[in-house]
Structure formats: C-alpha cells, structure tokens
Amino acid sequence: MASDGPFWTGVFDAVQKQGKSPAPKDPKSPSDVYLANLNKVDRDPRDGTWYLLFDMVPAEASLLALGGRSGDGSPPPIVPTILFHATEVLQPNVYAALGLESTDEPAEGSWYVLYLQPDGDPKTDVTGELYHPDADFGAGVTYKTWHIAAADLMSVPMQKGPDVILGAPPAGPGAARQGTLATKRPKTYKPVQGTGIIKLRRFKAFKRSAVLLPLRRVRPPPPPPPPPPPAGFGAIGVMDVGQGGCNLVFDRNLEPAVYYDVGYPLGFFRNSLPFTMRADLPGQWLGPIYQNTANTLQIVLSHWDWDHWRLGACPANGLGQHLAQLPWMAPNQPMGPTATVFANALPLATSVPLGAPAQALGNGIVRYSNVAPPGATPAMLINNSGLSLQIPVDLAGQPGVPVLLTGDGNFSGLPLAARAGLAGIGAVHHGSGNHGADQNLPAAPFFGPGYIAYSYGISAVTGNHAYGFPAPAAVVNYVAAQWTAPNAQTTAEGANINVGPAAHGNIRMGDQGALHANYQNTAFFAVGHALP
C-alpha cells in the first residue's frame, strides 16, 4: 500500500490493478473496504440484540464508477455488489462499531464506509457473514465470518417535505461519530469526508276517437339488466414467504391480478421458508405465480427493504417467466446498490414520487403514499415513506369492503380516507412494535372483529421467531382494537400467534375456492389458513 491518499490508502492501488485487468467477477474488495448501505435494521425486543444487513460495493469499484475511468484509461468494471449480514449482535457492539450515542439508533438507508477484517469475537465485535447476494438462491460465493474493524458514517436519511433524501450526518455533541474504533483501523486507512336532460313536449289533450280501435297486445319490456357488481376483488392472499412480505390480490374469478410486495427472507432466515419456496433447494422449489391467464399481472412495492422486493429476483420458471418481467410500481426512495442494479434493469417500472397524492389503480384499488410524521427520526423514514394499498374485497358476505395493506408503514402515516371503514388489515411490519407500528390503529368494523393477517417467519429447525415477530405487546394492541380471533391468522402458525407449533401456510382473506389448475404447480396454489 503505497501512499496516504485523501480517501482509502491501498484502495487506489487496487483500482490501478483493476484498470489493467478484466472486470472482476468477484464482489469482494481486495482491500476489504466497502461503500455500504445499511439496508435492513431490526431489534429483537426479547433480548435487545440487533440484526443488520449492509448492501455494499467494493470501495475500488465505487471509485472507478464515480471517477468514470481507471488509472490507465480503460473503462471501469461493472460495479459488483456484496452483502454483510450481522445477526444477534449485542447492542454495545453495534453502538461502538457504528459510532452511535445511547440516544441514537441505526437508520435504514444510511451509508457507511466499512472496513472489514476476517473472523471476530461476537462478544466484543459486530460479526457477520460476507456473501454474494445470490447465495440465498443457491448461487454465488460466501466468504465466512468477518467483523467491522472500523466504520465512517457518510450520510443518513433526512426529511425534506414529503421527500426522504440523503444528507450529511449531524454534527456536534451527541451526534454519531466518524472514524470510530481508531485503534482497530488499519494504519493505512483514513476516514472519508462527506455524498338529457331532455325537456318533455307538452301533449295536447287527447281527443277521443269516434271509432274504437281494437287493442293490440304489447309485450312488456324486458326487465332492466342487473346493476354491475360493486368494484372489488374476490380475495387477498397473504403468501407464506417465511420472514418477508408478499401479498397477492385475486379477482372474483380467483385469477391473480396484483402483487403487493414480493419479498424473500435474508439468508440467515431462509429456514423460515416453506420448502416449496426454497430456491436453494431445486428439488423442492415450486416458486411463486409468475403470470396470470390474461398476462396482466402487476406488482406494487411498498418499499425497498430486502424482505419486501427480493423475490422479484428469484429464478425463472421452466417457461422462462420471471417476476422482473412484470410491470412494477415502486416508491422513489433511497436504495441500496443491489436493489438499484435490479430496479435499473426492470423493463416495465413506474417510480412514484414520495408524498404523491392518492391514485386509483382500477376496480376500486387505491394507492396511497405513506408520509412520516414531522420530526421523525432517520431510523423510521424508509419504512414510513412507501406505498400502501386499500383494496375492496368480498368479506363476511359483504361485497367490496376495504382492506388496507401498508407493508412496514405505520397507519398514522396515511390520510383518514385510507383508514376509514376497514374490514381487514395486514399487521404493520410483521407485527413489530418499533417506531409506533402498533399504535394509532384503525377501528375494526362495527359488525364484529376485523380480519387481520400476520406475515412473519419462524425457523423450521429451531422454532425461533425471526426478530421476535410478532411482538407480544403489539398483538395485545391489535386485539384491544378488535383485530382478533376468530378472524386472525398467521403465515407461520395458523390461528396461533406467537405460540406454535410451526405450520406454514398461505392465508386467503375472502373467497377460499380453488385456484385454476394452471397454478397448481406453484407454492401459492394451496390455501393453508382460511380467513373467509
């Protein structure tokens, strides 16, 4: 490592080497330095441990991409992406490694420069698995255990009106520090700085005719046609994708019409998947429904968290169909590099500005934008700046009553029109209580307990709940608001919530009839838990 440059010493040497050789296929940084997006943050309320997913690019590749050209004039390589997934990390280790004060919290969407080193002690370090993103699908390389040797905070999500932008970290006392763990930082590294009406004619009086004409029999007019059915759909499927979010709206012929989220769990939680959705087990894999009979299936994405979009990158079926081929509607949010690469390759995508007004999508569906409350902390901005759907569904013998799905967004971030008169909901953030997710709940319908679906995963090996979801205190709040039995089901445990035993199943809210045989060879064909 030759010189002390203004950014990463040694990284520039690696850049020069890359410029004189073919574009690297290995996403691992030669100098173990990464530009990292903190894509997923969850805290287990049971023991206070943290789960962090960093979506990263090697520092060398990011410099080449930003600079446009390498040292010898050859074009930069395609930026590869790589993941660092730290699980069950003790809170003091997280706060020390990321330079957080006790009043701070790791914020999804933040960008760091991470300096990683092999191995590590989970008692004192933020240790995790370094791996290629496609390793979850049974492809790509894993690099075993690494730990954060040092971290520089580059930017955090910030509110600007309804928008969420990236801004410089706050400065001053109590602010997150840059360049932490200086004693562990390799000596050659230096921190980075700053990124008709028709009128009737009046008839004259009738003059009686002198001759009476015989009456003619006139057929009565046919009855008027029945009024069209109210707008709406036959059912909503809350699909079992383990620890993730995936919902499929079915029309009244039980044809799939719209996906709301297409999620897949992070690698550490792949055991929460049913075997038919384990892409790394090709002998078991059936996969999702890729298209409907009319070729009109589309996807609405709540937000760009890994466990809400990643199924979109799953392997194609035997017919070459792929969820990425469908039309996508997604919020314009700060994104991690792997999601950015994926989104840029979507052939049919619509980006919705944050805070955009409500939009009718057809047949009664209304798309709403979630807006975080004024003064929201950076840690709650990404989850609460996405898209929600209100969907009219035939429930409890009533046609077209509204059901609201918000992904990880709090109900309080939506206008009253979205939350009024609901017959069904999805539990926010898989039943989390973080950042007020279980507060300000909408009122259940007057005719009885409201329908509620919890989507979460538990390990088929250990029976442990990922992140402790749903949080027992959150379930208590939903029950108090009358979102409760007998109209409550979960993808992991049926009518049991946080109890067990482990029993995977797709939830159907509405018509429980069988889908067309075209879909029987998919994991989304069967209804495991009914919400009629």
Side-chain angles (χ1 to χ4, degrees):
M1 305 244 175
S3 62
D4 292 335
F7 296 95
W8 305 276
T9 303
V11 172
F12 287 108
D13 291 345
V15 168
Q16 292 290 338
K17 292 177 182 178
Q18 285 191 26
K20 297 174 182 177
S21 61
K25 295 182 180 179
D26 187 346
K28 183 181 175 298
S29 165
S31 55
D32 302 326
V33 184
Y34 299 89
L35 188 62
N37 174 267
L38 183 50
N39 183 257
K40 192 85 177 78
V41 177
D42 278 295
R43 179 181 179 274
D44 193 326
R46 296 170 300 183
D47 58 11
T49 58
W50 290 82
Y51 296 75
L52 310 173
L53 175 71
F54 289 93
D55 186 6
M56 313 187 301
V57 292
E60 300 80 16
S62 63
L63 283 180
L64 283 170
L66 291 171
R69 292 190 172 275
S70 64
D72 67 349
S74 59
I78 296 173
V79 177
T81 66
I82 191 169
L83 304 179
F84 178 66
H85 189 191
T87 62
E88 300 178 293
V89 184
L90 300 175
Q91 178 160 308
N93 299 349
V94 173
Y95 278 53
L98 300 184
L100 299 175
E101 300 289 345
S102 60
T103 56
D104 296 330
E105 186 175 347
E108 289 184 358
S110 299
W111 283 88
Y112 289 83
V113 176
L114 290 189
Y115 307 82
L116 300 185
Q117 290 183 348
D119 303 317
D121 185 352
K123 295 180 180 178
T124 58
D125 298 322
V126 176
T127 61
E129 183 180 9
L130 186 68
Y131 61 96
H132 187 284
D134 289 341
D136 291 353
F137 297 145
V141 180
T142 60
Y143 302 91
K144 300 183 180 179
T145 301
W146 291 68
H147 72 277
I148 298 177
D152 293 320
L153 178 62
M154 303 297 295
S155 64
V156 295
M158 304 177 72
Q159 276 187 312
K160 187 178 181 181
D163 291 332
V164 175
I165 62 173
L166 293 175
R177 302 183 301 275
Q178 287 194 348
T180 61
L181 300 182
T183 57
K184 288 189 176 183
R185 182 192 306 281
K187 294 182 180 179
T188 54
Y189 292 152
K190 287 192 174 182
V192 177
Q193 305 294 332
T195 118
I197 296 176
I198 300 174
K199 293 183 178 180
L200 296 177
R201 180 170 58 89
R202 185 181 298 277
F203 287 90
K204 294 181 180 180
F206 179 75
K207 186 178 181 180
R208 187 182 183 96
S209 174
V211 179
L212 295 177
L213 299 176
L215 295 174
R216 291 183 302 165
R217 294 197 174 196
V218 178
R219 290 185 179 181
F233 293 83
I236 293 177
V238 180
M239 316 316 295
D240 183 8
V241 292
Q243 183 52 46
C246 181
N247 309 275
L248 187 50
V249 183
F250 298 91
D251 68 18
R252 289 190 168 109
N253 295 317
L254 290 183
E255 281 286 334
V258 179
Y259 275 108
Y260 177 69
D261 284 348
V262 282
Y264 200 78
L266 280 70
F268 183 77
F269 295 122
R270 67 170 66 104
N271 279 329
S272 68
L273 284 161
F275 288 130
T276 53
M277 286 297 291
R278 285 282 298 268
D280 59 329
L281 301 177
Q284 306 271 357
W285 168 261
L286 293 178
I289 294 173
Y290 290 90
Q291 186 55 278
N292 60 20
T293 304
N295 291 318
T296 57
L297 191 57
Q298 57 186 309
I299 294 171
V300 177
L301 185 68
S302 65
H303 65 305
W304 284 102
D305 268 9
W306 189 273
D307 61 329
H308 289 256
W309 73 266
R310 185 60 182 172
L311 185 60
C314 73
N317 65 4
L319 301 176
Q321 293 174 315
H322 198 286
L323 290 177
Q325 298 170 342
L326 301 179
W328 283 59
M329 176 181 289
N332 184 10
Q333 292 180 304
M335 299 160 60
T338 305
T340 300
V341 170
F342 173 79
N344 286 340
L346 290 173
L348 301 168
T350 300
S351 180
V352 181
L354 299 185
Q359 178 185 4
L361 301 184
N363 200 20
I365 293 184
V366 181
R367 189 271 305 149
Y368 291 94
S369 295
N370 290 70
V371 178
T377 63
M380 70 178 297
L381 291 180
I382 298 299
N383 283 349
N384 287 281
S385 58
L387 306 179
S388 294
L389 286 189
Q390 189 193 80
I391 307 155
V393 182
D394 300 344
L395 272 177
Q398 302 185 61
V401 292
V403 174
L404 181 62
L405 303 176
T406 71
D408 289 354
N410 296 1
F411 292 112
S412 57
L414 293 168
L416 181 60
R419 298 177 277 138
L422 299 177
I425 59 173
V428 176
H429 200 170
H430 318 282
S432 171
N434 293 338
H435 305 126
D438 60 343
Q439 304 296 315
N440 301 304
L441 301 178
F446 68 90
F447 54 79
Y451 293 81
I452 182 171
Y454 293 85
S455 173
Y456 62 90
I458 59 177
S459 170
V461 177
T462 65
N464 290 337
H465 288 240
Y467 315 123
F469 292 163
V475 174
V476 168
N477 289 341
Y478 283 109
V479 171
Q482 294 298 300
W483 301 101
T484 183
N487 299 336
Q489 298 281 4
T490 84
T491 54
E493 300 168 315
N496 297 312
I497 301 175
N498 249 338
V499 177
H504 290 294
N506 302 316
I507 296 171
R508 188 93 63 78
M509 191 183 296
D511 191 340
Q512 306 295 312
L515 306 185
H516 192 279
N518 288 349
Y519 311 116
Q520 65 182 349
N521 292 320
T522 73
F524 291 171
F525 178 75
V527 179
H529 309 309
L531 278 170

